[in-house]
Amino acid sequence: MCQSIAGPPVDEAIGMLIAEQMTPAAVELALEVRKEIQARHEEADRLRCRAIERAQTEAELAQRRFMLVDPSNRLVADTLEGEWNEKLRTLASAREERERGREHDQFILDKAVHERLVAMTADFNQLWKDPDTPSRERKRLLAHIIEDVTLLKLPAEGTTKLHVRFKGGKIQTLTTMNPKSSPQQIKTKPSIIELVDRLLDDYIYPEIAEILNEQGHRPGGTARRGCQDARFTPLKVAYLIHEYKLRSRYDRLRQRGMLTRQEAAVHLNISEQTVARWAKFGLITRHAYNGHYSLYEIADGDLPQKQCSRWNPLEDRAAAYRQMQTEPRTSTGEERGVV
């Protein structure tokens, strides 16, 4: 399958690495290393000069032996001539080797060059961070520092490994995060889904949307261009509940023992209209599971009784019922520890 690696994270990581490496201290260290290498090259050149001297001496000896031989002795003369030619070839090879070695490292640092290299670090970083610097110029700058970069994409981890090999042979490994795909960018955060799941225990869709907006949460679609000001709505909350298969508020209330209006009417032996009126005045508790319908909580004890509202208005009954619920019960003698 075709693979692709996003360029911006890689460019940013390489840029930060270069900015860290191109410092005056790093240049000073590089110059010290350069001096050490220069000293080794000089020592190697001296060894090559000694090899040239030995080869030249041996060639001169071979020449004298050839010149002293009797020309009539053709066999000895041919042998000495061959030895002389071999010594000459060895001498020529030693001289060529020395020339190649000198050409390999003929750059000599002086004080002016040293100061310029240290000053170049500031110029380099300034030029690298300048937004007007073309990409081709940045590539040319990198070509003087980095030999190559090997990229290894790890889709399962969502990262990319960067193995950077510098000109001097040093290798450094970086790790960058792969940018999210378009579906991942607009995906709602898992923390918001967990919060919606908790809020479903006590609130309906419009209330949940209002709470999310008040807490500063935003839907995943805000990642789209032009949707930065998007807010949660009851419809978006309903979509999240359906998409992530969250348990509905109706099922949660039913699991807690809530009854429908019909079931509550049968349980209390009253009409459905009376159930609604009792819930309105607080004689029984009503829990909405959407913007239009509710379930009813019927207490196990102290159930309200059907009475004539003409002689005992619901307002008075509700006030007395609330007062009875809030007043502390009088403890019995046994509860007070009296025997």
Side-chain angles (χ1 to χ4, degrees), residues 308-328:
C308 179
S309 298
R310 177 180 297 180
W311 308 111
N312 192 2
L314 282 176
E315 293 86 347
D316 297 340
R317 294 175 59 190
Y321 182 75
R322 287 193 297 269
Q323 183 178 3
M324 181 180 64
Q325 295 294 328
T326 56
E327 286 181 353

Side-chain angles (χ1 to χ4, degrees), residues 246-262:
L246 302 180
R247 197 153 50 95
S248 66
R249 176 162 170 76
Y250 177 85
D251 294 338
R252 297 166 191 255
L253 294 177
R254 293 291 285 177
Q255 186 178 9
R256 287 159 55 182
M258 307 295 175
L259 305 178
T260 63
R261 184 186 297 185
Q262 295 83 355

Side-chain angles (χ1 to χ4, degrees), residues 7 13-14 32 43 49 110 113 115 162 173 189 213 283 322:
I14 295 297
E32 292 297 328
E43 179 63 24
C49 289
D110 55 15
V113 174
E115 294 176 354
L162 284 68
T173 301
K189 298 179 180 179
N213 293 326
L283 290 178
R322 287 193 297 269

Side-chain angles (χ1 to χ4, degrees), residues 13-34:
I14 295 297
M16 294 178 60
L17 176 63
I18 295 301
E20 294 175 358
Q21 297 294 331
M22 291 297 294
T23 60
V27 173
E28 291 286 354
L29 179 60
L31 294 179
E32 292 297 328
V33 174
R34 178 72 183 187

Side-chain angles (χ1 to χ4, degrees), residues 76-137:
V76 177
D78 291 342
T79 302
L80 294 177
E81 184 180 10
E83 293 180 358
W84 182 24
N85 291 332
E86 181 64 25
K87 299 299 182 182
L88 290 176
R89 284 193 292 268
T90 302
L91 176 60
S93 177
R95 288 174 176 173
E96 292 176 359
E97 183 179 358
R98 187 197 178 198
E99 290 299 325
R100 286 195 301 268
R102 290 171 61 87
E103 292 176 358
H104 182 266
D105 190 18
Q106 60 182 357
F107 180 70
I108 302 177
L109 294 175
D110 55 15
K111 185 177 181 180
V113 174
H114 180 282
E115 294 176 354
R116 180 54 185 161
L117 286 174
V118 174
M120 278 178 59
T121 57
D123 299 339
F124 184 93
N125 291 328
Q126 183 178 1
L127 182 61
W128 181 267
K129 296 178 182 179
D130 189 353
D132 296 331
T133 302
S135 297
R136 62 178 180 275
E137 298 299 334

Side-chain angles (χ1 to χ4, degrees), residues 16-195:
M16 294 178 60
L17 176 63
I18 295 301
E20 294 175 358
Q21 297 294 331
M22 291 297 294
T23 60
V27 173
E28 291 286 354
L29 179 60
L31 294 179
E32 292 297 328
V33 174
R34 178 72 183 187
K35 292 179 180 178
E36 179 67 21
I37 295 175
Q38 184 69 26
R40 295 183 180 181
H41 286 168
E42 292 176 356
E43 179 63 24
D45 186 66
R46 286 194 293 269
L47 294 176
R48 287 192 289 266
C49 289
R50 293 177 184 174
I52 293 175
E53 293 175 358
R54 289 195 299 269
Q56 187 171 1
T57 301
E58 292 177 357
E60 292 176 353
L61 291 175
Q63 180 184 11
R64 285 198 296 269
R65 286 196 296 268
F66 174 74
M67 297 300 294
L68 294 175
V69 71
D70 186 1
S72 60
N73 194 347
R74 299 293 301 275
L75 180 61
V76 177
D78 291 342
T79 302
L80 294 177
E81 184 180 10
E83 293 180 358
W84 182 24
N85 291 332
E86 181 64 25
K87 299 299 182 182
L88 290 176
R89 284 193 292 268
T90 302
L91 176 60
S93 177
R95 288 174 176 173
E96 292 176 359
E97 183 179 358
R98 187 197 178 198
E99 290 299 325
R100 286 195 301 268
R102 290 171 61 87
E103 292 176 358
H104 182 266
D105 190 18
Q106 60 182 357
F107 180 70
I108 302 177
L109 294 175
D110 55 15
K111 185 177 181 180
V113 174
H114 180 282
E115 294 176 354
R116 180 54 185 161
L117 286 174
V118 174
M120 278 178 59
T121 57
D123 299 339
F124 184 93
N125 291 328
Q126 183 178 1
L127 182 61
W128 181 267
K129 296 178 182 179
D130 189 353
D132 296 331
T133 302
S135 297
R136 62 178 180 275
E137 298 299 334
R138 288 192 175 91
K139 292 180 180 179
R140 291 175 180 174
L141 293 174
L142 286 179
H144 294 285
I145 304 172
I146 294 179
E147 184 69 27
D148 55 48
V149 180
T150 303
L151 304 181
L152 179 60
K153 187 175 182 180
L154 305 174
E157 302 178 5
T159 60
T160 298
K161 295 285 187 181
L162 284 68
H163 300 290
V164 184
R165 186 160 61 100
F166 291 90
K167 285 290 186 179
K170 177 185 176 182
I171 298 178
Q172 188 164 346
T173 301
L174 306 176
T175 302
T176 61
M177 298 299 298
N178 298 334
K180 297 181 179 179
S181 62
S182 298
Q184 291 175 332
Q185 292 178 8
I186 64 174
K187 188 175 182 180
T188 304
K189 298 179 180 179
S191 58
I192 296 180
I193 304 302
E194 295 176 0
L195 178 59

Side-chain angles (χ1 to χ4, degrees), residues 264-317:
V266 174
H267 185 76
L268 296 173
N269 194 24
I270 56 178
S271 65
E272 295 182 17
Q273 292 77 10
T274 302
V275 171
R277 295 186 67 232
W278 282 14
K280 177 181 179 181
F281 287 96
L283 290 178
I284 58 178
T285 305
R286 176 172 54 191
H287 298 274
Y289 61 85
N290 59 30
H292 305 284
Y293 300 99
S294 304
L295 294 178
Y296 299 85
E297 180 180 0
I298 307 300
D300 294 335
D302 297 332
L303 294 177
Q305 300 297 322
K306 184 177 180 181
Q307 300 182 16
C308 179
S309 298
R310 177 180 297 180
W311 308 111
N312 192 2
L314 282 176
E315 293 86 347
D316 297 340
R317 294 175 59 190

